[in-house]
Amino acid sequence: MRRKRGGALAAIAMAGVLALAGCGSSSDGDSGAEGGDAGALKIGLAYDIGGRGDQSFNDSAARGLDKATAEFGIEVTELEASQGETDAQKEDRLRQLAEGGYNPIIAVGYAYAGPVGKVATDFPEVKFAIIDDFTPGTDTGDNIANLTFAEEQGSFLVGVAAALKSETGNVGFVGGVNTPLIQKFEVGYTAGVKAVKADATVQVKYLTQPPDFSGFNDPAKGQTAANGMFDAGADVVYAAAGGSGSGVFRAAKDKGAMGIGVDSDQYNLPSLADVKDVIITSMVKSVDVAVYDFIQSVRDNAFKAGNTVYDLQDGGIDFSTSGGMIDDIKPQLDEYKQKIISGEISVPSTT
Protein backbone atom coordinates (compact mmCIF):
# COMPACT_ATOMS: atom_id res chain seq x y z
CA MET A 1 0.00 0.00 0.00
CA ARG A 2 1.15 3.54 -0.66
CA ARG A 3 1.76 5.99 2.18
CA LYS A 4 -0.63 8.89 2.54
CA ARG A 5 -0.21 12.06 4.52
CA GLY A 6 -2.95 14.21 6.00
CA GLY A 7 -1.44 17.48 4.78
CA ALA A 8 -4.19 17.93 2.21
CA LEU A 9 -6.45 19.20 4.95
CA ALA A 10 -5.10 22.69 4.58
CA ALA A 11 -7.41 24.32 7.08
CA ILE A 12 -6.15 22.02 9.79
CA ALA A 13 -2.53 22.51 8.88
CA MET A 14 -3.00 26.29 9.01
CA ALA A 15 -4.44 25.90 12.50
CA GLY A 16 -1.15 24.41 13.63
CA VAL A 17 -2.25 20.78 13.70
CA LEU A 18 0.35 18.15 12.99
CA ALA A 19 -0.60 15.72 10.24
CA LEU A 20 1.02 12.35 10.73
CA ALA A 21 1.70 9.68 8.16
CA GLY A 22 -0.95 7.09 7.49
CA CYS A 23 -1.49 4.21 5.11
CA GLY A 24 -3.64 4.46 2.03
CA SER A 25 -5.15 2.07 -0.44
CA SER A 26 -5.28 2.59 -4.18
CA SER A 27 -9.05 2.31 -4.24
CA ASP A 28 -11.03 5.14 -5.78
CA GLY A 29 -14.25 4.12 -4.03
CA ASP A 30 -16.81 6.59 -2.72
CA SER A 31 -15.47 7.98 0.57
CA GLY A 32 -18.95 8.49 1.92
CA ALA A 33 -19.86 4.81 1.93
CA GLU A 34 -20.76 3.35 5.32
CA GLY A 35 -19.19 -0.09 5.41
CA GLY A 36 -19.48 -3.06 3.11
CA ASP A 37 -16.76 -2.06 0.64
CA ALA A 38 -13.58 -1.85 2.70
CA GLY A 39 -11.84 0.14 -0.02
CA ALA A 40 -14.43 2.89 0.31
CA LEU A 41 -13.61 3.61 3.95
CA LYS A 42 -11.62 6.77 4.65
CA ILE A 43 -10.79 6.83 8.35
CA GLY A 44 -9.80 9.96 10.22
CA LEU A 45 -8.12 9.49 13.58
CA ALA A 46 -7.41 12.39 15.94
CA TYR A 47 -4.85 11.66 18.65
CA ASP A 48 -4.59 13.31 22.03
CA ILE A 49 -1.42 15.16 23.11
CA GLY A 50 1.68 13.08 22.44
CA GLY A 51 0.20 11.35 19.42
CA ARG A 52 1.68 8.28 17.80
CA GLY A 53 4.92 7.59 19.60
CA ASP A 54 3.80 8.45 23.15
CA GLN A 55 4.72 4.89 24.26
CA SER A 56 1.34 4.51 25.95
CA PHE A 57 -2.30 5.45 25.27
CA ASN A 58 -2.02 6.94 21.78
CA ASP A 59 0.32 4.19 20.64
CA SER A 60 -2.23 1.58 21.68
CA ALA A 61 -4.83 3.31 19.49
CA ALA A 62 -2.29 3.39 16.66
CA ARG A 63 -1.77 -0.37 16.88
CA GLY A 64 -5.49 -0.96 16.42
CA LEU A 65 -5.54 1.39 13.47
CA ASP A 66 -2.52 -0.30 11.91
CA LYS A 67 -4.11 -3.73 12.27
CA ALA A 68 -7.31 -2.55 10.57
CA THR A 69 -5.33 -0.84 7.83
CA ALA A 70 -3.32 -3.98 7.13
CA GLU A 71 -6.36 -6.25 7.07
CA PHE A 72 -8.91 -4.04 5.35
CA GLY A 73 -6.80 -1.89 3.00
CA ILE A 74 -8.45 1.30 4.22
CA GLU A 75 -7.27 4.87 3.68
CA VAL A 76 -6.21 6.72 6.80
CA THR A 77 -5.32 10.24 7.89
CA GLU A 78 -3.89 10.75 11.38
CA LEU A 79 -3.87 14.10 13.17
CA GLU A 80 -2.51 15.10 16.56
CA ALA A 81 -3.55 17.54 19.28
CA SER A 82 -1.12 20.30 20.13
CA GLN A 83 -0.10 21.51 23.56
CA GLY A 84 -2.46 24.08 25.04
CA GLU A 85 -5.00 24.00 22.25
CA THR A 86 -8.66 24.90 22.81
CA ASP A 87 -11.83 22.90 22.34
CA ALA A 88 -12.49 25.05 19.29
CA GLN A 89 -9.29 23.77 17.68
CA LYS A 90 -10.24 20.18 18.43
CA GLU A 91 -13.69 20.82 16.98
CA ASP A 92 -12.12 22.32 13.85
CA ARG A 93 -9.90 19.26 13.43
CA LEU A 94 -12.88 16.89 13.56
CA ARG A 95 -15.01 19.15 11.38
CA GLN A 96 -12.37 19.35 8.65
CA LEU A 97 -12.08 15.55 8.66
CA ALA A 98 -15.85 15.22 8.27
CA GLU A 99 -15.92 17.81 5.51
CA GLY A 100 -13.05 15.98 3.84
CA GLY A 101 -15.15 12.84 3.46
CA TYR A 102 -13.65 10.84 6.31
CA ASN A 103 -16.07 8.29 7.73
CA PRO A 104 -15.67 6.96 10.38
CA ILE A 105 -13.79 9.42 12.56
CA ILE A 106 -12.09 8.34 15.80
CA ALA A 107 -11.23 10.77 18.61
CA VAL A 108 -8.62 9.46 21.03
CA GLY A 109 -9.20 10.77 24.54
CA TYR A 110 -11.81 12.37 26.77
CA ALA A 111 -10.60 15.86 25.87
CA TYR A 112 -12.55 15.48 22.62
CA ALA A 113 -15.90 14.98 24.39
CA GLY A 114 -17.42 18.39 23.71
CA PRO A 115 -16.02 18.73 20.18
CA VAL A 116 -17.23 15.25 19.17
CA GLY A 117 -20.75 16.00 20.37
CA LYS A 118 -20.93 19.24 18.39
CA VAL A 119 -19.45 17.92 15.14
CA ALA A 120 -21.42 14.66 15.21
CA THR A 121 -24.64 16.65 15.45
CA ASP A 122 -23.72 18.57 12.30
CA PHE A 123 -22.69 15.44 10.37
CA PRO A 124 -25.33 12.80 11.21
CA GLU A 125 -24.26 10.61 8.30
CA VAL A 126 -20.73 10.23 9.69
CA LYS A 127 -19.95 7.59 12.32
CA PHE A 128 -17.84 8.82 15.24
CA ALA A 129 -16.06 7.06 18.08
CA ILE A 130 -14.60 8.65 21.19
CA ILE A 131 -12.25 6.73 23.44
CA ASP A 132 -12.38 7.18 27.21
CA ASP A 133 -15.53 9.22 27.60
CA PHE A 134 -19.27 8.71 27.95
CA THR A 135 -21.05 11.87 29.06
CA PRO A 136 -24.77 11.81 28.23
CA GLY A 137 -25.80 15.04 26.58
CA THR A 138 -22.23 15.95 25.68
CA ASP A 139 -20.71 13.23 23.50
CA THR A 140 -23.64 10.90 22.95
CA GLY A 141 -25.90 10.46 19.95
CA ASP A 142 -27.13 8.06 17.30
CA ASN A 143 -23.86 8.30 15.35
CA ILE A 144 -21.43 8.24 18.31
CA ALA A 145 -19.82 5.13 19.79
CA ASN A 146 -18.34 5.65 23.26
CA LEU A 147 -15.47 3.25 23.93
CA THR A 148 -14.59 3.19 27.63
CA PHE A 149 -12.65 0.97 30.03
CA ALA A 150 -12.72 -0.28 33.61
CA GLU A 151 -9.26 1.12 34.33
CA GLU A 152 -9.80 0.79 38.06
CA GLN A 153 -9.92 -3.02 37.76
CA GLY A 154 -6.51 -3.33 36.09
CA SER A 155 -5.09 -0.69 38.39
CA PHE A 156 -6.27 -2.73 41.40
CA LEU A 157 -4.29 -5.71 40.13
CA VAL A 158 -1.06 -3.79 39.58
CA GLY A 159 -1.62 -2.29 43.04
CA VAL A 160 -1.67 -5.83 44.40
CA ALA A 161 1.57 -6.50 42.50
CA ALA A 162 3.17 -3.34 43.91
CA ALA A 163 2.24 -4.30 47.47
CA LEU A 164 3.52 -7.86 47.08
CA LYS A 165 6.80 -6.71 45.52
CA SER A 166 7.46 -3.76 47.81
CA GLU A 167 10.02 -4.31 50.55
CA THR A 168 9.36 -0.98 52.25
CA GLY A 169 5.55 -0.98 52.37
CA ASN A 170 5.76 2.39 50.63
CA VAL A 171 4.69 2.77 46.98
CA GLY A 172 3.81 5.62 44.65
CA PHE A 173 1.35 6.74 41.98
CA VAL A 174 2.18 9.36 39.36
CA GLY A 175 -0.81 10.65 37.39
CA GLY A 176 -0.37 12.75 34.28
CA VAL A 177 -3.25 15.20 34.80
CA ASN A 178 -5.62 15.38 37.76
CA THR A 179 -8.90 14.46 36.05
CA PRO A 180 -11.72 12.07 36.99
CA LEU A 181 -10.41 9.54 34.45
CA ILE A 182 -6.91 9.38 35.91
CA GLN A 183 -8.35 9.36 39.41
CA LYS A 184 -9.91 5.99 38.48
CA PHE A 185 -6.39 4.63 38.05
CA GLU A 186 -5.29 6.09 41.39
CA VAL A 187 -8.30 4.83 43.34
CA GLY A 188 -8.10 1.32 41.90
CA TYR A 189 -4.34 1.15 42.49
CA THR A 190 -4.64 2.29 46.10
CA ALA A 191 -7.42 -0.22 46.74
CA GLY A 192 -5.24 -3.02 45.39
CA VAL A 193 -2.27 -2.00 47.53
CA LYS A 194 -4.43 -1.78 50.66
CA ALA A 195 -6.06 -5.15 49.94
CA VAL A 196 -2.65 -6.73 50.48
CA LYS A 197 -1.12 -4.36 53.05
CA ALA A 198 -3.70 -2.27 54.85
CA ASP A 199 -1.01 -0.14 56.51
CA ALA A 200 0.97 0.51 53.34
CA THR A 201 1.81 4.08 52.34
CA VAL A 202 0.69 5.22 48.89
CA GLN A 203 2.26 8.47 47.75
CA VAL A 204 0.26 10.31 45.07
CA LYS A 205 1.43 13.04 42.70
CA TYR A 206 -0.29 14.57 39.66
CA LEU A 207 2.05 16.33 37.25
CA THR A 208 -0.40 19.01 36.10
CA GLN A 209 -3.91 20.29 36.78
CA PRO A 210 -6.50 21.01 34.07
CA PRO A 211 -6.53 22.90 31.76
CA ASP A 212 -2.80 22.16 31.58
CA PHE A 213 -2.57 18.72 29.94
CA SER A 214 1.18 18.75 29.44
CA GLY A 215 1.48 16.20 32.25
CA PHE A 216 0.80 13.50 29.70
CA ASN A 217 3.92 14.33 27.69
CA ASP A 218 6.61 15.62 30.05
CA PRO A 219 9.15 12.92 30.99
CA ALA A 220 11.22 15.42 33.00
CA LYS A 221 8.28 16.14 35.32
CA GLY A 222 7.62 12.42 35.62
CA GLN A 223 11.23 11.78 36.61
CA THR A 224 11.22 14.58 39.18
CA ALA A 225 7.98 13.35 40.76
CA ALA A 226 9.19 9.75 40.94
CA ASN A 227 12.58 10.78 42.36
CA GLY A 228 10.75 12.56 45.17
CA MET A 229 8.75 9.43 45.95
CA PHE A 230 11.79 7.15 45.91
CA ASP A 231 13.67 9.58 48.17
CA ALA A 232 10.67 9.45 50.54
CA GLY A 233 10.86 5.67 50.85
CA ALA A 234 8.86 4.27 47.94
CA ASP A 235 10.35 1.35 46.04
CA VAL A 236 7.59 0.85 43.43
CA VAL A 237 5.87 3.62 41.42
CA TYR A 238 2.91 3.23 39.04
CA ALA A 239 2.92 5.76 36.19
CA ALA A 240 -0.47 6.61 34.70
CA ALA A 241 0.95 9.55 32.82
CA GLY A 242 1.25 8.75 29.11
CA GLY A 243 4.61 9.80 27.66
CA SER A 244 5.70 11.18 31.05
CA GLY A 245 5.97 7.59 32.28
CA SER A 246 9.37 7.21 30.63
CA GLY A 247 10.73 9.69 33.17
CA VAL A 248 9.28 7.63 36.01
CA PHE A 249 11.05 4.54 34.70
CA ARG A 250 14.31 6.46 34.30
CA ALA A 251 14.08 7.52 37.94
CA ALA A 252 13.37 3.93 39.00
CA LYS A 253 16.41 2.69 37.12
CA ASP A 254 18.65 5.38 38.61
CA LYS A 255 17.41 4.59 42.13
CA GLY A 256 17.47 0.79 41.83
CA ALA A 257 13.70 0.71 42.27
CA MET A 258 10.70 -0.64 40.35
CA GLY A 259 8.15 0.89 37.99
CA ILE A 260 4.72 -0.13 36.71
CA GLY A 261 3.57 0.82 33.22
CA VAL A 262 0.17 1.70 31.83
CA ASP A 263 -2.07 1.23 28.79
CA SER A 264 0.47 -0.72 26.71
CA ASP A 265 2.74 -3.58 27.77
CA GLN A 266 5.52 -1.07 28.21
CA TYR A 267 8.20 -3.68 28.89
CA ASN A 268 8.03 -4.65 25.22
CA LEU A 269 8.16 -1.16 23.70
CA PRO A 270 11.42 -0.64 21.75
CA SER A 271 11.53 3.02 22.80
CA LEU A 272 11.76 1.95 26.46
CA ALA A 273 14.32 -0.81 25.97
CA ASP A 274 16.92 0.93 28.12
CA VAL A 275 14.63 1.01 31.16
CA LYS A 276 12.52 -2.11 30.63
CA ASP A 277 14.37 -4.05 33.33
CA VAL A 278 12.60 -1.95 36.00
CA ILE A 279 9.08 -2.33 34.52
CA ILE A 280 7.76 -5.24 36.56
CA THR A 281 4.28 -5.16 35.00
CA SER A 282 1.88 -2.84 33.17
CA MET A 283 -1.83 -2.22 33.46
CA VAL A 284 -2.80 -3.11 29.91
CA LYS A 285 -5.74 -1.22 28.46
CA SER A 286 -6.67 -2.60 25.06
CA VAL A 287 -7.39 0.62 23.21
CA ASP A 288 -6.08 -1.17 20.12
CA VAL A 289 -8.86 -3.75 20.40
CA ALA A 290 -11.51 -1.04 20.82
CA VAL A 291 -10.26 0.89 17.78
CA TYR A 292 -10.08 -2.24 15.63
CA ASP A 293 -13.53 -3.43 16.76
CA PHE A 294 -15.05 -0.07 15.95
CA ILE A 295 -13.53 0.11 12.47
CA GLN A 296 -14.65 -3.45 11.74
CA SER A 297 -18.18 -2.67 12.92
CA VAL A 298 -18.47 0.24 10.51
CA ARG A 299 -16.97 -1.80 7.69
CA ASP A 300 -19.47 -4.60 8.33
CA ASN A 301 -22.47 -2.25 8.67
CA ALA A 302 -22.75 -3.25 12.34
CA PHE A 303 -22.11 0.14 13.96
CA LYS A 304 -23.42 0.41 17.53
CA ALA A 305 -23.99 3.78 19.17
CA GLY A 306 -23.67 4.30 22.92
CA ASN A 307 -21.28 3.13 25.59
CA THR A 308 -19.23 -0.06 25.29
CA VAL A 309 -17.17 -0.86 28.39
CA TYR A 310 -14.06 -3.03 28.09
CA ASP A 311 -13.15 -4.72 31.39
CA LEU A 312 -11.33 -7.70 32.92
CA GLN A 313 -14.06 -10.14 31.98
CA ASP A 314 -13.86 -9.49 28.25
CA GLY A 315 -10.09 -8.99 28.17
CA GLY A 316 -10.23 -5.27 27.55
CA ILE A 317 -8.23 -4.73 30.74
CA ASP A 318 -5.43 -6.91 32.13
CA PHE A 319 -1.92 -6.91 33.57
CA SER A 320 1.25 -7.89 31.73
CA THR A 321 3.79 -10.54 32.70
CA SER A 322 6.56 -9.70 30.22
CA GLY A 323 10.04 -10.02 31.67
CA GLY A 324 9.00 -12.64 34.20
CA MET A 325 9.37 -10.28 37.16
CA ILE A 326 5.95 -11.08 38.63
CA ASP A 327 5.89 -14.79 37.78
CA ASP A 328 6.24 -15.64 41.47
CA ILE A 329 3.10 -13.69 42.41
CA LYS A 330 1.00 -14.37 39.31
CA PRO A 331 -1.15 -17.02 41.05
CA GLN A 332 -2.15 -14.43 43.65
CA LEU A 333 -2.88 -11.84 40.98
CA ASP A 334 -4.99 -14.34 39.06
CA GLU A 335 -6.94 -15.10 42.23
CA TYR A 336 -7.73 -11.42 42.74
CA LYS A 337 -8.60 -11.12 39.06
CA GLN A 338 -11.18 -13.90 39.30
CA LYS A 339 -12.67 -12.35 42.44
CA ILE A 340 -13.19 -9.09 40.56
CA ILE A 341 -14.72 -10.87 37.57
CA SER A 342 -17.07 -12.86 39.81
CA GLY A 343 -18.12 -9.76 41.71
CA GLU A 344 -16.68 -10.92 45.03
CA ILE A 345 -14.47 -7.84 44.93
CA SER A 346 -16.00 -4.55 43.81
CA VAL A 347 -13.25 -2.11 42.86
CA PRO A 348 -13.99 1.58 43.58
CA SER A 349 -13.68 4.01 40.70
CA THR A 350 -14.08 7.33 42.48
CA THR A 351 -12.51 8.89 45.54
Side-chain angles (χ1 to χ4, degrees), residues 51 61 83-85 99 112 125 131 172 176 184 225-226 257 273 305 325 329 334 336:
Q83 199 71 257
E85 70 177 19
E99 291 173 347
Y112 282 99
E125 76 285 357
I131 297 170
K184 287 173 65 179
M325 288 176 275
I329 62 171
D334 286 338
Y336 276 105

Side-chain angles (χ1 to χ4, degrees), residues 3-70:
R3 303 293 291 179
K4 179 180 178 67
R5 295 189 64 86
L9 298 177
I12 297 179
M14 291 176 63
V17 178
L18 175 64
L20 300 178
C23 294
S25 74
S26 59
S27 169
D28 293 322
D30 177 11
S31 63
E34 297 181 5
D37 178 6
L41 285 181
K42 288 177 61 178
I43 296 179
L45 188 143
Y47 290 110
D48 204 348
I49 293 171
R52 182 187 283 265
D54 75 338
Q55 307 161 5
S56 185
F57 178 67
N58 288 296
D59 270 355
S60 185
R63 285 194 296 275
L65 181 67
D66 291 344
K67 180 181 178 183
T69 300

Side-chain angles (χ1 to χ4, degrees), residues 329-345:
I329 62 171
K330 187 175 182 297
Q332 291 159 280
L333 292 172
D334 286 338
E335 183 178 349
Y336 276 105
K337 178 179 177 178
Q338 290 306 313
K339 287 181 178 179
I340 294 172
I341 291 173
S342 71
E344 182 177 343
I345 292 178

Side-chain angles (χ1 to χ4, degrees), residues 55-331:
Q55 307 161 5
S56 185
F57 178 67
N58 288 296
D59 270 355
S60 185
R63 285 194 296 275
L65 181 67
D66 291 344
K67 180 181 178 183
T69 300
E71 292 187 14
F72 304 145
I74 54 184
E75 181 181 325
V76 173
T77 288
E78 301 170 64
L79 304 174
E80 179 183 327
S82 58
Q83 199 71 257
E85 70 177 19
T86 64
D87 275 3
Q89 289 172 290
K90 288 182 172 64
E91 182 180 335
D92 182 62
R93 177 177 304 119
L94 299 177
R95 193 173 299 280
Q96 293 294 330
L97 285 170
E99 291 173 347
Y102 289 86
N103 185 10
I105 294 171
I106 303 168
V108 183
Y110 60 85
Y112 282 99
V116 162
K118 291 180 180 178
V119 178
T121 298
D122 293 340
F123 293 89
E125 76 285 357
V126 177
K127 302 296 189 293
F128 290 83
I130 180 168
I131 297 170
D132 269 356
D133 198 80
F134 174 64
T135 306
T138 298
D139 59 0
T140 54
D142 293 340
N143 60 332
I144 302 174
N146 306 83
L147 310 177
T148 62
F149 298 81
E151 294 94 351
E152 70 278 4
Q153 294 181 351
S155 295
F156 181 99
L157 294 177
V158 298
V160 169
L164 291 173
K165 284 294 185 178
S166 175
E167 296 180 356
T168 65
N170 188 326
V171 301
F173 172 87
V174 173
V177 183
N178 192 358
T179 65
L181 175 65
I182 305 305
Q183 289 166 12
K184 287 173 65 179
F185 293 78
E186 176 203 338
V187 171
Y189 177 70
T190 299
V193 172
K194 298 290 188 177
V196 175
K197 294 180 181 177
D199 60 348
T201 297
V202 181
Q203 301 181 54
V204 175
K205 174 70 174 179
Y206 285 92
L207 301 181
T208 60
Q209 302 289 325
D212 181 359
F213 288 88
S214 64
F216 288 130
N217 195 34
D218 194 332
K221 283 184 178 178
Q223 185 169 357
T224 298
N227 274 330
M229 291 178 175
F230 292 132
D231 290 344
D235 56 355
V236 186
V237 173
Y238 176 30
S244 301
S246 62
V248 173
F249 304 140
R250 172 53 57 192
K253 189 174 182 70
D254 291 345
K255 299 287 186 178
M258 295 171 278
I260 293 175
V262 75
D263 294 335
S264 300
D265 181 355
Q266 295 194 292
Y267 178 91
N268 285 325
L269 294 181
S271 56
L272 295 175
D274 63 331
V275 292
K276 71 177 185 178
D277 55 320
V278 304
I279 304 174
I280 62 172
T281 184
S282 296
M283 195 286 284
V284 179
K285 175 176 170 179
S286 298
V287 177
D288 55 337
V289 173
V291 168
Y292 177 86
D293 286 351
F294 170 72
I295 294 171
Q296 185 176 47
S297 75
V298 176
R299 174 181 178 270
D300 295 344
N301 291 314
F303 170 84
K304 177 185 175 184
N307 194 27
T308 298
V309 181
Y310 291 81
D311 59 13
L312 281 177
Q313 185 166 8
D314 59 27
I317 293 289
D318 212 334
F319 63 92
S320 66
T321 59
S322 299
M325 288 176 275
I326 61 167
D327 285 355
D328 57 327
I329 62 171
K330 187 175 182 297

